[in-house]
Amino acid sequence: MDLFEYQGKELLRKFEVPVPEGRVAETPEDAAEAAKGLGGKVVVKAQVQVGGRGKAGGIKLANSPEEAQQVANDILGMDIKGHVVKRVLVERAGDIKAEYYFSFLLDRSARKFLGMMSAKGGVDIEEVAETDPDAIARVHIDPLAGISDFHARRLVFGSRIDEAARKEAIAMIPKLYRAFVELDASLVEINPMVLTGEGRVMALDAKVSLDDSAAFRHPNFDDLKAAHDIPEQERFAKERGLNFIKLEGDVGIIGNGAGLVMSTLDVVKAAGGDPANFLDVGGGAGAELLASAIEVITSNPEVKSVLVNIFGGITRCDLVAEGILSALEKLDVKVPIVVRLDGTNAEQGRKMLADAPHPMLMSAETMLGAAEKAVELAHGGGR
Amino acid sequence: MDLFEYQGKELLRKFEVPVPEGRVAETPEDAAEAAKGLGGKVVVKAQVQVGGRGKAGGIKLANSPEEAQQVANDILGMDIKGHVVKRVLVERAGDIKAEYYFSFLLDRSARKFLGMMSAKGGVDIEEVAETDPDAIARVHIDPLAGISDFHARRLVFGSRIDEAARKEAIAMIPKLYRAFVELDASLVEINPMVLTGEGRVMALDAKVSLDDSAAFRHPNFDDLKAAHDIPEQERFAKERGLNFIKLEGDVGIIGNGAGLVMSTLDVVKAAGGDPANFLDVGGGAGAELLASAIEVITSNPEVKSVLVNIFGGITRCDLVAEGILSALEKLDVKVPIVVRLDGTNAEQGRKMLADAPHPMLMSAETMLGAAEKAVELAHGGGR
Amino acid sequence: MAILIDEETKLVVQGLTGREGSFHAMRNRDYGTNLVAGVTPGKGGSDVQGVPVFDTVAEAVQETGANTSMVFVPARFAADAVMESYDAGVDVIVAITENIPAMDMARTVPYIRNSDRDVTLIGPNCPGLISPGKANVGIIPGEICSQGPVGLVSRSGTLTYQIIHELTQRGIGQSTCVGIGGDPIPGSDFIDILSKFEQDPETEVVVFVGEIGGDAEERAAAWADDNMSKPIVSYIAGFTAPPGKRMGHAGAIISGSKGTAQAKAEALEAVGIKVGRNPTEVAELVVDVRKAS
Amino acid sequence: MAILIDEETKLVVQGLTGREGSFHAMRNRDYGTNLVAGVTPGKGGSDVQGVPVFDTVAEAVQETGANTSMVFVPARFAADAVMESYDAGVDVIVAITENIPAMDMARTVPYIRNSDRDVTLIGPNCPGLISPGKANVGIIPGEICSQGPVGLVSRSGTLTYQIIHELTQRGIGQSTCVGIGGDPIPGSDFIDILSKFEQDPETEVVVFVGEIGGDAEERAAAWADDNMSKPIVSYIAGFTAPPGKRMGHAGAIISGSKGTAQAKAEALEAVGIKVGRNPTEVAELVVDVRKAS
């Protein structure tokens, strides 16, 4: 889960990472109240998970609570690259002398954590990486040994940040590491980390991504998640344990296993069709889950045909067939469903479908054949 | 530093290791007060760092505060194998169903931590190790990876402790490990760990040894140390940074480096003498330290001669000579001092001693020669 | 021959007393795998369909000589179970469990790989592996496999079955099929398995199934170019997949790869590895390679 | 030849700007050691008697090609400094610092030893090592040494000097003298160094100096019996030493040794290693061994 800036900062604060004082607000009035509490100049920042909000007008200064209310009013409800602003973060504004880049993440190929720091912060770090790779100091950290002081020194001296910022940055890095590890984060990115006019170093922005698999270790995980808007269809799918992503096409796809589903999308595309979604029922799906999957897919009015492509391993094809039949019974399915079953109990499943003929249900022998048929049906032919 | 039982238990409590409720007392009245606070039956335990205090009468039950006062009165001031009892631990007495052995320590040869557990607790574990080695479950823990739940399971299932104790023991072991690591302990030994009549598992005794080198990480280290009696001569030596251990002989020994000093003891012994002490001035000793060393040695009335055996590395022999001369000037030295200098600035040092003749000062060319001369002098000859 | 598992395999299943664990363990046994023990703490002394259950893997190894373990315990306990198997002395650990926290595996994988013992972890979040006709450890349906000269390694589960199925239908058997799993830090990566296939006399052709994300395929391609003498046929899933969640900006910087299927396919083709456009074409390419050799 | 350090050694000193660090670094340089850099965080850009100082070891290695580091920083920072050197890519790390917490070394030593790189840590709490006539890294007084066929390894500092001195006085030079230090977990143990001496063509005889405590000498004796072809002469200090603090009851159980000098001497003699009763006799035994061969 990618956290909002304000959520990330709240968590980092618990690890004693210096962040600007601030409060989140959902209304202009709340923003005025927050500005009043902070006193003096504040900055009002749109809370959206997309880059470039500054250029889009999503970050504004305010000299008074009244002004804060006004700019919050402008920002709340804005559409920034498809993201509607529902909250703003009101923070005490400070004098910034320099901006740096900092991050911790997992480097898969090295099987280690990677810390990166650059004196070129506040900008697109990918561009820095391309145009001036030496401007980014990198250090690997063995997950078993953990961080040691020298890692922080290598990043700080290696990135050649201002001398005035060194001491505080060296002290802050182990705190960021602790946050990264103890939060089960997949990313902690501070861009920019700033040196203030008063000589303090702090996290002016924070991008923190948490590992959904580790939610059981973090009692506040669900609260953090609750702040995220999820489209109705996706929420419905997620609640049922389905891995669902909506796409723009008209061929509904259901499969088991991410690789097979991805391959199914590829094959549908190659057959001239446009997948309406990615839907992975996962391993060991039962009848009920399959029925839910069909419900999710067919609730999308764009869908013209559905392709169910199952290769049973843990998943039993007889249960898949049962789920499909129960969905057909329960729902008023108006689009054709092409089913291809192979693997565990496939024959049994195929027989169950054959024994319960339904005008919208048809079987296919192979994955390629099934894809071609589904595409043909979506284009209005084939029946 | 080896902690007293009550100190070890206080520290373990901070790591949520279950220990009996208790209070330390230095007077019979305090003991009565403690018993009153605890209520019911209590056990009064002599706080000494030596085994077998139970058999020596250092552990007694008391049914009332009055009785606690009386037994505390008996125990306080007792001499148990040369250790005078200055404090007792008054603990709530419980019903004990079974006694186990548990410890964490560093296994040097494996370069790992070692956890040991046995269902045969409350007895001399060395004897169990000899007579019934399979009764001790052992598991190594990689210091980088740390403890995982399976280590605790291997110890608990491997030691075949009572089924009723398993769950709590498995929960307690990671806490003991955390204590071991975070306290910078070299040993955490719980003997016995008990299963009570109520089905609870707790540490009935605790032997905790802390690493003196890690004292800087533990602000309470000095407080813990203050409870330990150190003989005046040793305290004087320690305060000056000298590694000093008193022995029973009459040849005072000063050397630099533990290995060389041990070797010097061996050589003196082989020459027919009896070392009065072990004294290592360490690496890089200056004049002041050498003068202190001579002061420590000569304050022992048993000492008949002193052997200073220095092989300079970090230590500079000119500073050693300076220290010896300043000691001779400051103190009224009544015993002969044989000095043997080699290594860094040895010639300079030898010259300094030769240039400042003193009736109690003599030089030797070799380590063996110096030892022989010092022994001879201790025996009343040689001058 | 085959790699990692064969007739010598003696399997202990961690989580044998669970529903999933016992279902698949028994399927493995029915296939012919020598299932010698199960482990469930607190259930030592009992049995599951005649298979003795122990409290610890150490005890299971001591009593039965188990040399391979399969981990079927819930995600929050799985990393501990993997390390337990390692410490107990088994040689091959197959972790089926999915959704293990990445931090747990970030510590567990080096715990095993940095050691001086030669222990192989397959998975987690994987379908396991099968050496057709010899042993099956995991959830790959044995009936779709047949014994033969193709070594297969894949990040995906069901997609692997699809490809095995296509091969078998064309009469091409497999030496060993290994699902290394889709986690960020797999216990074994493509290179580990490719190097074992290179050394296995039974394996003549290798099929290599990747997917979008990371740069494991690119690294494997570069490694294979220098180290593999046997022909490789490849497949990459996800040409039209929706772009996954990006890990901030940092992900792309470190891999030096965009992680797209297109980029991966190009990296493979650049070193002369044929890339099939769908599972069927992969099987056909293997047929061609076999004919050519 | 020699082991670990020689004319190829390029030394970086961590803590060069400290009093002790600069004193001994300069002595090493005066001896002929190629001292290329110093490291003190925050003092990068300065120099100590012409030796450039860097902020990190990584930078020192990059700029000067340093391949050996000497750690002279205070105990509380020393484990970090050792790991920094390892990560920066040096091959030999010599940690002189004493009183490093045992927990720190319990983590640092496996950090280095478990790695796939072949890096040697000598110490901590050691006098360093010298290859007479080639390089001196540490605090062993160079003037007592002479070049020759004896390899020496010792847990002790000054006792080592005493024995080197006795050898040199008898005209017997040394290939390399290594003080491995007296800490509970040394970076290198007797066996590590013995095996290097066995492979070193210049070394003809090995002198092995142990002391009471632990069972490193016993293990080395057993290892040498199986693996050493070169003659060994030994010395053990502490026959009359006061019994040290016992680690509860547990210490004796694990080592299977009482750790006494007597037990160690017996273990050595049992595998045919001669044990001198004092440093002088050790030197005389080496003379005898040289004559015999």
Side-chain angles (χ1 to χ4, degrees):
Chain A
M1 170 176 50
D2 297 336
L3 299 184
F4 288 111
E5 175 191 7
Y6 77 94
Q7 294 178 316
K9 283 180 169 173
E10 264 167 36
L11 292 178
L12 291 180
R13 205 177 268 127
K14 290 186 189 162
F15 291 88
E16 295 169 18
V17 174
V19 296
E21 230 182 308
R23 265 180 57 191
V24 70
E26 300 198 359
T27 66
E29 293 71 30
D30 279 358
E33 195 64 33
K36 210 167 153 186
L38 293 167
K41 238 186 191 173
V42 297
V43 58
V44 181
K45 303 168 85 177
Q47 296 299 289
V48 284
Q49 295 179 323
V50 63
R53 61 185 169 162
K55 279 185 192 158
I59 301 181
K60 281 185 175 153
L61 274 170
N63 290 303
S64 65
E66 296 71 35
E67 215 178 314
Q69 179 163 355
Q70 197 185 310
V71 301
N73 193 48
D74 295 347
I75 295 173
L76 285 163
M78 268 180 75
D79 185 313
I80 301 181
K81 300 182 186 171
H83 294 246
V84 177
V85 182
K86 294 193 136 188
R87 292 176 202 83
V88 291
L89 177 60
V90 183
E91 280 186 342
R92 189 191 300 286
D95 179 22
I96 292 165
K97 281 186 75 171
E99 301 194 340
Y100 315 126
Y101 173 88
F102 189 89
S103 64
F104 276 127
L105 76 164
L106 173 67
D107 180 352
R108 295 174 177 212
S109 15
R111 295 186 195 91
K112 287 183 176 166
F113 301 135
L114 178 69
M116 290 193 278
M117 188 165 199
S118 176
K120 294 192 170 180
V123 297
D124 184 345
I125 196 68
E126 282 188 72
E127 204 185 296
V128 176
E130 254 172 51
T131 58
D132 187 7
D134 288 347
I136 302 174
R138 294 150 205 248
V139 65
H140 278 113
I141 299 177
D142 179 328
L144 288 171
I147 198 166
S148 196
D149 290 340
F150 81 86
H151 293 112
R153 292 198 303 270
R154 274 184 73 164
L155 288 167
V156 165
F157 287 110
S159 61
R160 299 177 196 284
I161 63 168
D162 304 78
E163 201 170 329
R166 281 183 195 161
K167 206 177 151 191
E168 291 203 16
I170 287 174
M172 198 199 294
I173 290 170
K175 293 173 184 171
L176 288 165
Y177 181 82
R178 252 194 72 210
F180 174 70
V181 170
E182 293 186 19
L183 291 171
D184 274 292
S186 49
L187 175 75
V188 169
E189 186 175 62
I190 310 297
N191 190 17
M193 180 186 282
V194 297
L195 171 65
T196 69
E198 299 85 44
R200 309 302 314 275
V201 177
M202 50 173 67
L204 198 65
D205 197 355
K207 189 175 279 174
V208 176
S209 299
L210 304 185
D211 179 0
D212 288 60
S213 295
F216 67 87
R217 280 202 278 252
H218 304 281
N220 63 339
F221 196 92
D222 289 343
D223 290 344
L224 292 167
K225 195 138 210 162
H228 292 71
D229 295 319
I230 302 169
E232 183 49 37
Q233 203 184 7
E234 281 192 32
R235 183 182 297 273
F236 179 90
K238 224 160 223 176
E239 281 168 8
R240 277 150 190 82
L242 298 167
N243 184 1
F244 173 88
I245 300 167
K246 197 182 173 313
L247 301 171
E248 300 306 318
D250 54 11
V251 181
I253 310 279
I254 295 174
N256 61 327
L260 184 63
V261 179
M262 281 196 284
S263 178
T264 309
L265 298 183
D266 291 350
V267 168
V268 164
K269 191 87 180 180
D274 277 308
N277 66 278
F278 170 101
L279 192 158
D280 173 13
V281 296
E288 206 177 327
L289 199 65
L290 251 293
S292 296
I294 291 183
E295 192 177 347
V296 168
I297 299 288
T298 55
S299 71
N300 175 2
E302 301 298 318
V303 166
K304 298 276 193 314
S305 71
V306 178
L307 167 53
V308 180
N309 184 21
I310 300 290
F311 206 109
I314 295 192
T315 308
R316 288 162 50 184
C317 291
D318 55 330
L319 296 182
V320 171
E322 189 185 321
I324 293 169
L325 294 177
S326 103
L328 287 173
E329 206 163 288
K330 209 174 61 176
L331 308 168
D332 179 21
V333 175
K334 296 220 174 72
V335 295
I337 301 179
V338 182
V339 181
R340 179 268 181 160
L341 300 177
D342 252 316
T344 307
N345 297 357
E347 276 187 45
Q348 207 178 325
R350 286 192 212 117
K351 184 165 184 307
M352 284 165 71
L353 296 181
D355 289 352
H358 185 285
M360 287 295 132
L361 183 64
M362 53 211 72
S363 287
E365 286 292 303
T366 66
M367 178 167 158
L368 289 185
E372 278 160 12
K373 189 176 272 183
V375 171
E376 208 180 320
L377 288 166
H379 292 172
R383 267 197 284 171
Chain B
M1 172 174 48
D2 297 336
L3 298 184
F4 288 110
E5 176 192 7
Y6 77 93
Q7 294 179 318
K9 282 179 169 172
E10 263 168 36
L11 292 178
L12 291 180
R13 207 177 265 126
K14 290 186 189 161
F15 292 88
E16 294 169 20
V17 174
V19 297
E21 231 183 308
R23 264 180 56 190
V24 70
E26 301 197 359
T27 66
E29 293 72 30
D30 279 0
E33 195 64 34
K36 210 166 151 187
L38 293 167
K41 236 187 192 175
V42 298
V43 57
V44 180
K45 304 168 86 177
Q47 296 299 290
V48 283
Q49 292 179 325
V50 64
R53 63 185 166 161
K55 280 184 194 161
I59 301 181
K60 282 185 175 152
L61 275 169
N63 290 304
S64 64
E66 295 71 36
E67 213 178 314
Q69 179 163 355
Q70 195 186 313
V71 302
N73 193 49
D74 295 346
I75 294 173
L76 284 163
M78 266 179 76
D79 184 313
I80 301 180
K81 298 181 187 173
H83 295 246
V84 177
V85 182
K86 295 193 134 190
R87 292 176 202 83
V88 291
L89 177 59
V90 183
E91 281 184 344
R92 189 190 300 285
D95 179 21
I96 293 165
K97 282 186 74 171
E99 301 194 340
Y100 315 126
Y101 172 89
F102 189 89
S103 65
F104 276 128
L105 76 166
L106 173 68
D107 180 353
R108 294 174 177 214
S109 13
R111 297 188 194 89
K112 286 182 176 168
F113 301 135
L114 178 69
M116 290 193 280
M117 188 165 200
S118 176
K120 294 193 172 181
V123 296
D124 185 346
I125 195 69
E126 281 186 73
E127 205 184 297
V128 176
E130 254 172 51
T131 58
D132 188 7
D134 288 348
I136 303 174
R138 295 149 204 248
V139 65
H140 278 114
I141 300 177
D142 179 328
L144 288 171
I147 199 166
S148 197
D149 290 339
F150 80 86
H151 293 113
R153 292 198 303 271
R154 274 185 72 164
L155 288 168
V156 165
F157 287 110
S159 62
R160 298 177 197 285
I161 64 169
D162 305 76
E163 200 170 332
R166 281 183 195 161
K167 204 176 153 194
E168 291 203 16
I170 287 174
M172 199 199 295
I173 290 171
K175 293 172 184 169
L176 287 165
Y177 180 82
R178 251 193 74 211
F180 173 71
V181 171
E182 292 187 18
L183 291 171
D184 274 293
S186 50
L187 174 74
V188 169
E189 187 177 61
I190 309 298
N191 190 16
M193 178 186 281
V194 297
L195 171 64
T196 70
E198 299 85 44
R200 309 303 314 276
V201 177
M202 50 174 67
L204 198 64
D205 196 356
K207 190 174 277 172
V208 176
S209 300
L210 303 185
D211 179 1
D212 288 62
S213 295
F216 68 85
R217 280 202 277 252
H218 303 281
N220 64 338
F221 196 92
D222 289 342
D223 291 343
L224 293 168
K225 194 137 210 163
H228 291 72
D229 295 321
I230 303 170
E232 183 48 38
Q233 204 184 7
E234 282 191 31
R235 183 182 297 273
F236 180 90
K238 225 161 225 177
E239 281 169 8
R240 278 151 190 81
L242 298 167
N243 184 0
F244 172 87
I245 299 167
K246 198 182 171 315
L247 301 172
E248 299 308 316
D250 54 11
V251 181
I253 310 278
I254 295 173
N256 62 325
L260 184 62
V261 179
M262 281 197 283
S263 178
T264 308
L265 297 183
D266 291 350
V267 169
V268 164
K269 191 86 179 178
D274 276 308
N277 65 278
F278 170 101
L279 193 157
D280 173 14
V281 297
E288 208 177 327
L289 200 63
L290 251 293
S292 297
I294 290 184
E295 191 177 348
V296 168
I297 299 287
T298 54
S299 72
N300 175 1
E302 302 296 319
V303 166
K304 298 276 194 313
S305 72
V306 178
L307 167 53
V308 179
N309 185 21
I310 300 290
F311 207 111
I314 294 193
T315 308
R316 286 162 51 185
C317 290
D318 55 331
L319 296 182
V320 171
E322 189 184 322
I324 293 170
L325 294 176
S326 103
L328 286 174
E329 206 164 289
K330 210 173 58 178
L331 307 169
D332 179 20
V333 175
K334 295 219 174 73
V335 295
I337 302 178
V338 183
V339 181
R340 179 268 183 160
L341 300 177
D342 252 317
T344 309
N345 297 356
E347 277 187 46
Q348 208 178 326
R350 286 192 213 118
K351 186 165 183 306
M352 285 165 70
L353 296 181
D355 290 351
H358 184 285
M360 288 297 131
L361 183 65
M362 55 211 70
S363 288
E365 286 292 303
T366 67
M367 179 168 157
L368 290 186
E372 278 160 14
K373 189 176 269 182
V375 171
E376 208 180 319
L377 289 165
H379 291 173
R383 264 196 287 171
Chain C
M1 290 287 286
I3 68 169
L4 293 165
I5 60 168
D6 54 26
E7 301 90 342
E8 306 298 316
T9 295
K10 288 182 172 184
L11 182 64
V12 52
V13 176
Q14 292 173 268
L16 180 66
T17 58
R19 204 175 49 87
E20 292 278 313
S22 64
F23 176 75
H24 291 287
M26 292 309 151
R27 276 172 62 107
N28 288 169
R29 183 168 74 169
D30 293 345
Y31 189 81
T33 311
N34 188 7
L35 173 62
V36 297
V39 169
T40 303
K43 296 204 178 161
S46 67
D47 79 296
V48 172
Q49 297 183 43
V51 180
V53 175
F54 299 91
D55 291 311
T56 63
V57 181
E59 211 183 333
V61 167
Q62 199 185 326
E63 298 297 321
T64 69
N67 56 17
T68 301
S69 80
M70 175 160 68
V71 176
F72 246 113
V73 305
R76 68 175 72 189
F77 308 118
D80 178 66
V82 169
M83 290 194 281
E84 179 180 2
S85 267
Y86 170 81
D87 268 34
V90 308
D91 301 321
V92 177
I93 305 167
V94 184
I96 309 298
T97 309
E98 62 182 346
N99 294 324
I100 302 179
M103 280 294 161
D104 290 2
M105 291 317 295
R107 297 170 58 83
T108 303
V109 171
Y111 183 72
I112 291 171
R113 295 184 68 103
N114 294 356
S115 82
D116 42 10
R117 275 173 51 216
D118 184 20
V119 178
T120 301
L121 169 64
I122 301 292
N125 185 19
C126 82
L129 71 169
I130 181 169
S131 294
K134 294 165 187 147
N136 188 3
V137 177
I139 64 178
I140 299 176
E143 59 276 16
I144 60 172
C145 303
S146 55
Q147 197 169 339
V150 174
L152 188 147
V153 56
S154 169
R155 271 168 78 182
S156 163
T158 45
L159 178 55
T160 311
Y161 312 162
Q162 178 69 37
I163 292 172
I164 296 173
H165 183 65
E166 303 261 9
L167 288 170
T168 297
Q169 284 187 322
R170 283 165 183 76
I172 300 176
Q174 305 89 39
S175 54
T176 305
C177 302
V178 185
I180 58 172
D183 263 19
I185 310 191
S188 298
D189 60 17
F190 284 124
I191 295 171
D192 296 321
I193 306 302
L194 288 178
S195 86
K196 290 189 201 295
F197 279 136
E198 176 69 11
Q199 285 158 40
D200 174 44
E202 185 176 342
T203 303
E204 295 169 21
V205 183
V206 178
V207 172
F208 166 108
V209 183
E211 58 186 45
I212 50 166
D215 67 345
E217 290 80 2
E218 287 87 333
R219 283 182 292 122
W223 182 89
D225 193 28
D226 293 336
N227 298 283
M228 291 288 289
S229 66
K230 299 180 181 178
I232 303 178
V233 171
S234 175
Y235 178 69
I236 303 290
F239 278 83
T240 58
K245 285 182 190 171
R246 284 163 57 90
M247 295 172 63
H249 287 294
I253 299 176
I254 47 160
S255 72
S257 158
K258 298 292 177 203
T260 63
Q262 191 59 44
K264 290 173 191 298
E266 281 166 13
L268 289 161
E269 281 168 347
V271 299
I273 296 174
K274 289 215 168 75
V275 183
R277 280 165 306 172
N278 56 56
T280 307
E281 197 180 284
V282 171
E284 284 162 359
L285 284 171
V286 174
V287 172
D288 292 349
V289 166
R290 295 274 298 151
K291 275 188 193 145
S293 65
Chain D
M1 289 285 286
I3 67 168
L4 293 165
I5 59 167
D6 55 25
E7 301 89 342
E8 306 299 315
T9 295
K10 288 182 172 183
L11 182 65
V12 53
V13 175
Q14 291 173 269
L16 179 67
T17 58
R19 204 175 51 88
E20 291 279 312
S22 65
F23 177 74
H24 291 287
M26 291 310 151
R27 276 172 63 108
N28 287 168
R29 182 168 75 170
D30 292 346
Y31 188 82
T33 312
N34 188 8
L35 173 63
V36 297
V39 169
T40 302
K43 298 205 176 161
S46 67
D47 80 298
V48 171
Q49 298 183 42
V51 180
V53 174
F54 299 90
D55 291 311
T56 64
V57 181
E59 211 184 333
V61 167
Q62 199 186 327
E63 298 297 322
T64 68
N67 56 19
T68 300
S69 81
M70 177 161 67
V71 175
F72 245 113
V73 305
R76 68 176 71 190
F77 308 118
D80 177 66
V82 169
M83 290 194 281
E84 178 179 2
S85 266
Y86 170 81
D87 267 34
V90 307
D91 301 321
V92 177
I93 306 167
V94 183
I96 308 297
T97 309
E98 62 181 347
N99 294 323
I100 302 179
M103 280 296 160
D104 290 4
M105 291 318 296
R107 296 169 60 81
T108 304
V109 170
Y111 183 72
I112 291 170
R113 294 185 69 103
N114 294 357
S115 81
D116 42 11
R117 274 174 52 216
D118 184 19
V119 178
T120 301
L121 169 64
I122 301 292
N125 185 17
C126 84
L129 70 169
I130 181 169
S131 294
K134 293 162 187 149
N136 188 4
V137 176
I139 64 177
I140 299 177
E143 59 276 16
I144 61 172
C145 304
S146 56
Q147 196 168 340
V150 175
L152 189 146
V153 56
S154 169
R155 270 168 78 183
S156 163
T158 46
L159 178 55
T160 312
Y161 312 163
Q162 178 68 38
I163 292 172
I164 295 172
H165 183 63
E166 303 260 10
L167 288 170
T168 297
Q169 282 187 323
R170 283 165 182 76
I172 300 175
Q174 304 89 40
S175 54
T176 305
C177 301
V178 185
I180 57 172
D183 264 21
I185 310 190
S188 297
D189 61 16
F190 285 123
I191 295 171
D192 297 321
I193 306 301
L194 288 178
S195 87
K196 289 188 201 295
F197 279 135
E198 176 71 10
Q199 285 157 40
D200 174 42
E202 186 177 342
T203 302
E204 294 169 22
V205 184
V206 178
V207 172
F208 166 109
V209 183
E211 59 187 43
I212 50 167
D215 67 345
E217 290 80 3
E218 288 87 333
R219 283 183 291 121
W223 182 88
D225 194 28
D226 292 337
N227 298 283
M228 291 288 290
S229 66
K230 298 181 183 178
I232 303 178
V233 171
S234 174
Y235 178 69
I236 303 289
F239 278 83
T240 58
K245 283 183 193 171
R246 283 162 59 88
M247 295 172 64
H249 287 295
I253 301 176
I254 48 160
S255 71
S257 159
K258 297 292 174 203
T260 63
Q262 192 59 43
K264 289 173 191 296
E266 282 166 12
L268 289 161
E269 281 167 348
V271 299
I273 296 175
K274 288 216 168 73
V275 183
R277 279 166 306 172
N278 57 54
T280 307
E281 198 179 283
V282 172
E284 284 162 359
L285 285 171
V286 174
V287 172
D288 293 349
V289 165
R290 294 276 298 151
K291 275 187 194 145
S293 69

